[in-house]
């Protein structure tokens, strides 16, 4: 454990975050902030690859920023800012575009999925999205990137881009390592456990939003799709629905899968599902309440965002300067 290391991660303000985002990524943000210097971003530049309504975007950025604050990362070690407040991301993205191959971007599964979903708007931003993600990470010299499983391919590409750049100019960029939780790296939809829980899922029954109230959380867990049978047993292949609920429960109460099996041995799905809902709510409700307080003081939130953008820039600027110098751009005197 090297406390000098830097952590970076980002989350899109396309919709309210869900328990998958929390257990796959945000929970780790908080843990890591106890040890390392952490830089976390609400990545609004990424979100416009899909059309966003301007008023809705403004509201969701504030909401997400408040939720991240409410999760409670250690403030002394954490910079939490809004991506579009730091123009260096866009500049470095342009530079790294020239170190990224068309073929590499064509192979990104997220690009393929999103192109299929938004066939009427397959724009260049959607295609170069992973280059902006690589820029986000290397801009802060990040060593560690906490993410869910779905971002693994983007992380591999970010590493390849950094290695390629360094191959040309020397050791300028830090090559990042992904950090994906063994349990919780891929939380599945409650309505269809063969698909991951997804912020933009049009079916709200599949998604436990961090903004859902207690009743909604309990109702969604009670209605979660499970397999036939009645045994609470961890087997993601044979029993994906139950295993997903067990994962959520275990991570919320701090128990491994064996302990969860033991706790519910001989009990039916009914009691188990109620317990999952209650456990999820007991983790999410204090965060929700704290976030609501932040949202009620918009002037304080704005001030904080501005200060944090300044702190982010102070880390990013020297990295970007080294990149500019290495390439041969004339310094502005
Ligand atoms: P986003 O906004 O889709 O998700 C935020 C984080 O949550 C994780 N995640 C999940 N984890 C477990 N189960 C799920 N069902 C689940 N769904 C999402 C994601 O893996 C992610 O860690 N491209 C990124 C945002 C980004 C970024 C970055 C991340 C932009 N720049 C730089 C890391 C570093 C995204 O769309 O995440």
């Amino acid at each position: 454990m090297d406390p000098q290391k830097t952590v970076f991660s980002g989350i899109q303000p396309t919709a309210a975050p869900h328990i998958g985002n929390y257990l796959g990524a945000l929970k780790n943000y908080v843990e890591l902030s106890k040890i390392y210097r952490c830089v976390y971003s609400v990545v609004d530049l990424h979100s416009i690859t899909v059309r966003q309504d301007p008023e809705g975007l403004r509201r969701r950025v504030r909401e997400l920023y408040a939720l991240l604050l409410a999760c409670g990362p250690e403030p002394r070690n954490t910079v939490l800012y809004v991506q579009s407040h730091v123009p260096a991301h866009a500049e470095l993205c342009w530079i790294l575009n020239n170190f990224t191959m068309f073929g590499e971007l064509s192979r990104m599964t997220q690009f393929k999925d999103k192109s299929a979903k938004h066939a009427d708007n397959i724009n260049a931003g959607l295609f170069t999205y992973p280059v902006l993600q690589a820029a986000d990470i290397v801009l802060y010299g990040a060593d560690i990137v906490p993410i869910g499983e779905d971002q693994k391919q983007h992380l591999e590409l970010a590493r390849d881009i950094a290695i390629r750049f360094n191959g040309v100019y020397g050791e300028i960029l830090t090559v990042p390592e992904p950090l994906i939780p063994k349990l919780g790296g891929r939380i599945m939809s409650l309505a269809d456990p063969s698909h991951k829980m997804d912020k933009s899922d049009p079916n709200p029954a599949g998604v436990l939003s961090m903004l859902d109230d207690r009743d909604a959380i309990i109702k969604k867990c009670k209605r979660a799709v499970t397999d036939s049978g009645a045994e609470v047993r961890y087997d993601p292949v044979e029993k994906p629905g139950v295993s997903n609920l067990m994962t959520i429960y275990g991570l919320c109460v701090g128990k491994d899968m064996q302990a969860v099996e033991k706790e519910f041995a001989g009990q039916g799905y009914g009691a188990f599902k109620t317990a999952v809902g209650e456990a999820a709510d007991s983790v999410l409700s204090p965060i929700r309440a704290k976030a609501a307080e932040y949202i009620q003081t918009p002037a304080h939130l704005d001030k904080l965002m501005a200060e944090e953008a300044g702190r982010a820039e102070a880390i990013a600027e020297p990295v970007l300067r080294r990149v500019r110098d290495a390439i041969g751009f004339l310094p502005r005197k």
Side-chain angles (χ1 to χ4, degrees):
M1 219 155 54
D2 174 1
Q4 302 301 328
K5 285 193 170 168
T6 299
V7 173
F8 180 90
S9 202
I11 173 165
Q12 290 200 72
T14 39
H18 51 63
I19 196 147
N21 299 123
Y22 180 74
L23 298 175
L26 307 190
K27 197 165 177 271
N28 258 342
Y29 290 9
V30 178
E31 287 308 312
L32 291 164
S33 73
K34 294 175 186 159
I35 308 165
Y36 302 111
R37 172 172 80 167
C38 295
V39 183
Y40 298 131
S41 185
V42 173
V43 291
D44 53 350
L45 294 177
H46 279 89
S47 72
I48 63 164
T49 53
V50 173
R51 292 277 174 268
Q52 303 291 333
D53 145 62
E55 233 4 272
L57 183 59
R58 275 188 278 272
R59 178 177 49 76
R60 283 192 305 276
V61 168
R62 287 173 177 284
E63 216 167 67
L64 183 54
Y65 192 89
L67 277 166
L68 290 172
L69 268 181
C71 286
E74 174 55 56
R76 272 175 309 146
N77 295 340
T78 306
V79 178
L80 176 62
Y81 72 100
V82 176
Q83 186 187 29
S84 63
H85 291 171
V86 179
H89 288 261
E91 183 176 345
L92 187 57
C93 176
W94 172 252
I95 292 172
L96 295 184
N97 270 325
N98 303 284
F99 296 83
T100 312
M101 300 301 139
F102 182 88
E104 288 175 316
L105 293 175
S106 313
R107 285 193 290 277
M108 294 292 116
T109 52
Q110 189 168 302
F111 171 67
K112 291 189 219 163
D113 290 351
K114 286 208 174 158
S115 307
K117 246 193 224 163
H118 304 278
D120 55 339
N121 184 21
I122 307 177
N123 58 65
L126 201 59
F127 190 62
T128 59
Y129 177 112
V131 188
L132 180 59
Q133 183 160 348
D136 300 341
I137 296 167
V138 298
L139 191 54
Y140 296 91
D143 304 279
I144 306 168
V145 184
I147 44 170
E149 254 174 50
D150 62 338
Q151 294 301 314
K152 197 171 162 208
Q153 195 186 30
H154 285 168
L155 237 288
E156 278 160 12
L157 180 61
R159 286 173 57 83
D160 291 344
I161 295 171
I163 291 169
R164 189 171 299 137
F165 186 93
N166 287 350
V168 178
Y169 297 109
E171 298 301 303
I172 306 282
L173 303 178
T174 304
V175 180
E177 293 283 347
L179 183 75
I180 302 172
K182 282 199 187 73
L183 196 64
R186 189 174 175 82
I187 297 292
M188 309 310 276
S189 157
L190 299 186
D192 175 3
S194 66
H195 284 94
K196 69 166 185 178
M197 193 178 282
D198 185 346
K199 271 195 229 113
S200 26
D201 188 340
N203 178 9
V207 182
L208 272 193
S209 163
M210 289 181 74
L211 293 176
D212 279 344
D213 62 22
R214 181 183 164 82
D215 284 355
I217 292 176
I218 295 197
K219 203 179 280 170
K220 286 181 187 181
C221 287
K222 275 191 178 157
R223 292 191 183 153
V225 170
T226 41
D227 29 80
S228 54
E231 204 189 349
V232 178
R233 180 166 53 83
Y234 188 70
D235 183 343
V237 178
E238 293 296 323
K239 296 166 86 74
V242 170
S243 301
N244 188 45
L245 290 176
M246 287 177 73
T247 304
I248 295 173
Y249 180 78
L251 289 169
C252 288
V253 301
K255 282 189 175 174
D256 63 21
M257 294 301 96
Q258 244 183 336
V260 178
E261 278 179 6
K262 219 166 156 189
E263 182 179 348
F264 293 97
Q267 298 185 40
Y269 286 165
F272 169 60
K273 285 177 166 181
T274 306
V276 177
E278 275 166 4
D281 183 62
S282 66
V283 168
L284 297 182
S285 74
I287 300 175
R288 212 163 52 227
K290 193 115 214 127
E293 279 174 32
Y294 287 124
I295 289 171
Q296 275 160 18
T297 51
H300 170 249
L301 217 52
D302 285 347
K303 186 164 169 279
L304 196 60
M305 282 182 190
E307 284 166 7
E308 294 289 287
R311 290 175 71 201
E313 257 169 346
I315 306 172
E317 229 358 271
V319 177
L320 191 55
R321 206 176 311 126
R322 280 203 299 281
V323 169
R324 288 198 200 105
D325 283 352
I327 292 174
F329 291 149
L330 273 181
R332 180 175 157 185
K333 298 280 186 204

